[in-house]
Amino acid sequence: MNREEIKRILPHREPMLLVDEVVLENGEAISKYTVKGDEHFLNGHFPGMPVVPGVILCEIMAQGSSLLVAEKLDGNVVPMFVGLNDVRFKRTVLPGDTVETHAKLANVRGNIIFTDATAYVNGKVCCSGKLTVALTPRK
């Protein structure tokens, strides 16, 4: 799926849509986001040395993870990030880097989705963790 197809599934919009493309295969969501360098979260993190904040890497993984349940994202629910466990940051992510996330469903309990996700840059792990997303009714 390209960015426009993703917009039909995820409710996120610029500047917080952090998935450029995704492939869903064999129960895994493989998504990509290229850090352009002009993102709002780089402005003060850090002046003269822009580094993607860890919480943004987690958001990138969460958005990719949400696409695992694309059939449930019908416009009436919003995937809300509700938990992080065992998160590790291994490498910095810089402007120009393409973050590739791999996410798999670990469990589904009602409207709560548990995933295992890993983010890579150039084939090397930059972040990993267990994410929990709640499918929340849109208000």
Side-chain angles (χ1 to χ4, degrees), residues 19 91 94:
V19 180
R91 292 185 164 64
L94 307 170

Side-chain angles (χ1 to χ4, degrees), residues 9-10 13 22 31 40 53 56 63 65-67 71 76 82-83 93 105 107 109-111 115 117 128 131 136:
I9 299 166
L10 291 181
R13 293 296 179 267
V22 67
S31 63
H40 71 284
I56 296 296
Q63 288 183 24
S65 293
S66 295
L67 291 162
E71 73 283 353
N76 295 317
V82 296
V93 177
L105 281 177
N107 199 356
R109 281 191 237 146
N111 67 332
T115 66
S128 63
L131 312 177
T136 307

Side-chain angles (χ1 to χ4, degrees), residues 25-31 57-58 60-69 81 83-88 100-109 112-120 125 127-133:
E25 61 182 28
N26 301 323
E28 185 174 36
I30 301 168
S31 63
L57 292 175
C58 292
I60 291 169
M61 291 191 308
Q63 288 183 24
S65 293
S66 295
L67 291 162
L68 286 166
V69 293
F81 203 4
L84 291 167
N85 291 299
D86 302 325
V87 174
R88 298 290 180 264
E100 180 175 292
T101 69
H102 293 240
K104 289 188 177 192
L105 281 177
N107 199 356
V108 177
R109 281 191 237 146
I112 307 295
I113 311 301
F114 300 89
T115 66
D116 294 322
T118 304
Y120 302 86
V125 175
C127 184
S128 63
K130 298 177 182 304
L131 312 177
T132 307
V133 175

